[in-house]
Amino acid sequence: HVVAASKAMRNGDWKKARDFIINEKMNAKVWDLFYDADGVRKMLVRKIQEESMRTYLFTYSNVYDSISIPILAEMFELEVNSVHALVSKMIINEELMASLDQPSQC
């Protein structure tokens, strides 16, 4: 499940990655055993969205001249502020060779 999820993440398909990690079989074997199972699943979905976006940017950053923060937010169903924060952190940590253009949000 994890390998299949990582392949989906690499392609930017966070929903497919989520479905590999959070499903009836995995719920019964793993997630339902946690104290706050629903809270754990919500946290996992959020992390899958964020890490899928990061993985997508690592994989395809050399293809794009520019990419819109609102487009990324829409693709990964994250808030624009969260996407901006994640991309900024990647740039600061030199994980992504890019710059932010505030007026155009690219």
Side-chain angles (χ1 to χ4, degrees), residues 8-9 20 26 50 63 87:
M9 288 174 78
F20 281 120
M26 292 295 286
E50 292 174 355
V63 174
V87 170

Side-chain angles (χ1 to χ4, degrees), residues 24-92:
E24 291 303 315
K25 185 177 179 182
M26 292 295 286
N27 284 344
K29 287 185 175 184
V30 180
W31 310 125
D32 289 342
L33 302 176
F34 283 89
Y35 167 69
D36 181 17
D38 288 334
V40 169
R41 280 188 283 269
K42 285 180 186 175
M43 183 267 307
L44 280 169
V45 169
R46 174 67 181 211
K47 291 294 182 187
I48 289 169
Q49 288 171 291
E50 292 174 355
E51 293 307 316
S52 292
M53 187 191 77
R54 288 172 44 83
T55 305
Y56 180 83
L57 289 172
F58 287 139
T59 304
Y60 296 105
S61 63
N62 60 341
V63 174
Y64 290 104
D65 287 329
S66 68
I67 190 163
S68 165
I69 296 232
I71 297 277
L72 283 172
E74 184 180 322
M75 281 175 65
F76 294 95
E77 296 182 22
L78 292 165
E79 301 82 25
V80 170
N81 290 341
S82 296
V83 171
H84 186 273
L86 287 165
V87 170
S88 295
K89 187 175 180 180
M90 290 175 73
I91 292 169
I92 289 168

Side-chain angles (χ1 to χ4, degrees), residues 1-23 48 52:
H1 294 285
V2 174
V3 173
S6 69
K7 288 180 182 179
M9 288 174 78
R10 183 185 64 213
N11 295 324
D13 192 347
W14 75 269
K15 290 179 184 177
K16 189 183 257 185
R18 174 200 61 201
D19 293 343
F20 281 120
I21 299 297
I22 301 172
N23 55 52
I48 289 169
S52 292

